[in-house]
Amino acid sequence: MRFPNLFAAQFLAQTSRRRAPRCSNGGSNPSLEMFLGWKQFFATCREEPEELKDFSAYLDSLTNYEKSGVPKDAGTDSDDGLDLGRMRRLMTRLGDPQSKFKVVHIAGTKGKGSTAAFVSNILRAQGYSVGCYTSPHIMSIRERMTVGKSGDPVASKSLNCLFHKIKGQLDEAVQLENGLLTHFEILTATAFALFAEEKSDIAVIEAGLGGARDATNILSSSELAASVITTICEEHLDALGGSLESIAMAKAGIIKHGVPVRSSIKGLSMLDCRPCQVNDLVIQAQGDLQLSLELSDVHLQMLGEHQLQNAVTAACTILCLRNQGWQVSDKSIMSGLENTHLLGRSQFLSSKEADALGLHGTTILVDGAHTKESANSLMDTIQMAFPDAELAFIVAMARDKNHVAFAKEILSARRLAAVFLTEAEIAGGKSRTTSAEWLRDQWLQACKEVGIKSVQDIVPEEHHQMCSSAMRESMESSTHLVAEKSLAVAVQAAGGILGRRTSAGKKRPGVVVITGSLHAVSSVLRSVQ
């Protein structure tokens, strides 16, 4: 098969200034006190460690487009685009730390975080010291910067020390730029400084918004080992010019090649009581870009056809690095692919984590899908892993998403017992937070557009009484749409519905799926730590 997102780009071997170094469902219903305890726990866990208070406060004082939303045309190379010059001036003030190591630069609308994780872990499996910069984070801002041969998030102490070491230069830069340096620009500069200080052999850098004006796009050709583009879709239309064509132009700087790939998902196996997919992967390319790899029975913890595409993209990137002189064995490629996992991406909770949510024996999947495309990938993954399962979804989303298109993908499920539309704290506060009631209206519109008539719109007062015999009977034959503000209550109710649907001698499994926002996923993951 031929993957449309197989990329590639300026693979600079000879012109670089630095040579490659060698080297059973149905849980209990906890009390109101437990729900209140979760709320308090969520509030506590949102705080960064004491050592990072100064750094967090500094970042919070800057403009943060992750919270306020990215301005129209911000990523385009135009008068309305972000000023990349100020980022270059900042890096010069810091001594151009990005010139101290080679970089794999990854852009794209979807898949770039997973691809970055695959590439980083493959290089670490070979023994390289790797810095990896990604966004957003789930639990702590430290997740955005992983360092060394272990791939652990940067230690709070190390990040704090670095911040105070460079704070003087940051202050000068902010003042000289009239306070216009952004949260992402300062964070990106800090990451480059960290990787230089840690003496990284190579850094894997995920673009933020992407495009000509992205803060990560300050790298010269001599600093790049590879530039990669993953899939492009419509998520950032306004910021990148208004059309898929303009997004492709804004993501430019890469030369796309069709790379012939034969890959397949052979089936599923269990690893530590969680499903993983078994894959074969064959890459054979001739001509200017000569790549060759054949791997059998690769056990990916990252599920779905889309993650297989990301794994292939990562493998091709590594093969191009190998052509430049980087020593990476097939064994390291396989090990890196198999040991990659990301919080909140097709993540199945352990039985212990399910117990912490009060849903003993329930299969729980958390995934930060929030676009039509990612929802489609999520449904494909569920269909592959649990083709006959009864499903209960818990959805919280930001206001600036295409809710109807997202809902249509979820409503395609074969056995959809219930959808709980709930609320979670979204970056940007009330301006981007969607109420459960408004979200329900969007889903009812989606049901109307796809012609689904077997959905029951349940108001909160009714869903708290779902244990009544009449309600139980109606639940057996329809999908329930419930607006419930409390995420904790929604989790418990979803588990209860699946417990009743999959009881009474029925053999089908049940799966609770929490999705729509990484913020909702983050809240759940914090509660089970």
Side-chain angles (χ1 to χ4, degrees), residues 1-127:
M1 62 187 298
R2 188 177 294 270
F3 283 88
N5 66 329
L6 287 181
F7 63 97
Q10 317 290 23
F11 296 108
L12 304 162
Q14 303 303 326
T15 60
S16 58
R17 285 183 290 186
R18 184 177 172 206
R19 290 182 179 272
R22 297 183 182 276
C23 65
S24 124
N25 296 301
S28 58
N29 292 316
S31 63
L32 178 60
E33 287 78 8
M34 182 176 180
F35 292 144
L36 295 176
W38 282 10
K39 185 175 181 180
Q40 181 179 359
F41 187 83
F42 291 164
T44 301
C45 285
R46 279 194 295 269
E47 300 177 359
E48 292 286 357
E50 185 69 29
E51 288 178 309
L52 291 182
K53 285 294 180 65
D54 291 346
F55 184 50
S56 297
Y58 195 91
L59 292 174
D60 289 342
S61 70
L62 305 169
T63 300
N64 187 347
Y65 290 129
E66 290 181 18
K67 291 185 177 181
S68 62
V70 181
K72 180 178 174 60
D73 297 328
T76 59
D77 193 10
S78 68
D79 291 341
D80 296 321
L82 296 172
D83 182 5
L84 196 59
R86 66 177 178 237
M87 185 65 186
R88 292 195 177 102
R89 291 188 290 272
L90 171 59
M91 299 309 298
T92 298
R93 189 170 294 276
L94 292 174
D96 286 320
Q98 77 280 4
S99 67
K100 304 297 194 298
F101 44 79
K102 285 299 185 181
V103 174
V104 175
H105 192 209
I106 302 177
T109 308
K110 288 294 175 188
K112 57 185 184 291
S114 298
T115 302
F118 280 129
V119 171
S120 299
N121 285 331
I122 292 169
L123 290 168
R124 289 190 179 107
Q126 186 65 31

Side-chain angles (χ1 to χ4, degrees), residues 25-27 29 359 362 391-394 417-420 463 466 475 487-501 511-514:
N25 296 301
N29 292 316
L359 298 182
T362 302
L391 304 175
F393 276 78
I394 300 165
V419 177
F420 286 84
H463 102 75
M466 282 184 179
M475 281 168 49
L487 175 60
V489 172
V491 169
Q492 293 302 308
I497 284 181
L498 287 185
R500 288 186 287 273
R501 282 251 183 147
V511 180
V512 172
V513 184
I514 302 168

Side-chain angles (χ1 to χ4, degrees), residues 465-481:
Q465 303 172 1
M466 282 184 179
C467 58
S468 68
S469 59
M471 188 67 73
R472 288 179 186 176
E473 291 179 6
S474 66
M475 281 168 49
E476 293 295 328
S477 58
S478 63
T479 297
H480 281 242
L481 203 60

Side-chain angles (χ1 to χ4, degrees), residues 132-422:
C132 184
Y133 178 57
T134 60
S135 60
H137 62 272
I138 299 290
M139 311 282 280
S140 167
I141 201 165
R142 297 184 302 114
E143 297 167 26
R144 299 187 183 215
M145 298 174 237
T146 59
V147 293
K149 297 181 179 181
S150 67
D152 292 331
V154 58
S156 298
K157 183 177 180 180
S158 298
L159 187 54
N160 180 62
C161 290
L162 174 64
F163 167 65
H164 285 287
K165 180 178 178 180
I166 65 174
K167 185 176 182 298
Q169 292 101 307
L170 297 180
D171 288 339
E172 292 173 0
V174 170
Q175 183 178 3
L176 289 173
E177 300 294 346
N178 298 315
L180 294 177
L181 279 165
T182 67
H183 177 284
F184 187 72
E185 288 167 338
I186 292 294
L187 194 58
T188 301
T190 302
F192 281 128
L194 174 69
F195 299 155
E197 186 166 274
E198 293 287 332
K199 294 181 172 52
S200 300
D201 295 319
I202 190 168
V204 180
I205 305 297
E206 176 192 348
L209 168 69
R213 300 298 181 89
D214 187 83
T216 65
N217 203 24
I218 56 167
L219 301 161
S220 66
S221 60
S222 61
E223 292 157 356
L224 283 170
S227 295
V228 182
I229 192 166
T230 60
T231 53
I232 293 178
C233 56
E234 300 178 359
E235 184 179 1
H236 300 307
L237 278 181
D238 287 341
L240 291 177
S243 69
L244 285 176
E245 180 181 2
S246 64
I247 286 182
M249 292 175 63
K251 300 282 187 187
I254 73 171
I255 306 167
K256 298 175 85 174
H257 294 277
V259 179
V261 173
R262 298 194 308 276
S263 63
S264 62
I265 301 174
K266 298 169 66 176
L268 293 176
S269 65
M270 299 302 292
L271 179 66
D272 296 330
C273 299
R274 303 181 194 186
C276 65
Q277 67 186 37
V278 184
N279 312 269
D280 286 344
L281 191 157
V282 179
I283 300 170
Q284 294 291 342
Q286 302 298 324
D288 293 339
L289 197 62
Q290 294 191 14
L291 309 176
S292 178
L293 179 70
E294 185 170 347
L295 299 176
S296 299
D297 295 333
V298 182
H299 289 66
L300 292 182
Q301 298 183 59
M302 308 274 280
L303 302 184
E305 183 70 33
H306 63 299
Q307 292 295 1
L308 179 54
Q309 285 195 28
N310 294 331
V312 168
T313 302
C316 287
T317 304
I318 295 297
L319 293 179
C320 291
L321 294 180
R322 194 155 72 182
N323 286 349
Q324 296 179 27
W326 295 79
Q327 295 181 352
V328 186
S329 67
D330 289 359
K331 181 180 179 181
S332 293
I333 295 176
M334 188 161 183
S335 176
L337 294 176
E338 292 189 332
N339 287 297
T340 297
H341 58 86
L342 288 176
L343 287 175
R345 279 79 161 185
S346 298
Q347 179 182 353
F348 287 90
L349 300 190
S350 67
S351 57
K352 183 178 180 180
E353 290 167 333
D355 288 346
L357 291 175
L359 298 182
H360 177 71
T362 302
T363 299
I364 303 174
L365 172 63
V366 295
D367 188 280
H370 55 272
T371 66
K372 173 185 176 181
E373 292 80 10
S374 55
N376 179 269
S377 296
L378 174 60
M379 297 310 296
D380 286 346
T381 299
I382 293 172
Q383 176 61 29
M384 177 185 68
F386 297 99
D388 299 317
E390 295 277 358
L391 304 175
F393 276 78
I394 300 165
V395 179
M397 297 185 73
R399 181 170 289 271
D400 54 359
K401 305 302 177 185
N402 189 336
H403 303 92
V404 172
F406 182 91
K408 288 179 179 179
E409 296 295 331
I410 305 301
L411 290 167
S412 67
R414 293 174 57 193
R415 295 186 175 88
L416 187 58
V419 177
F420 286 84
L421 304 166
T422 188

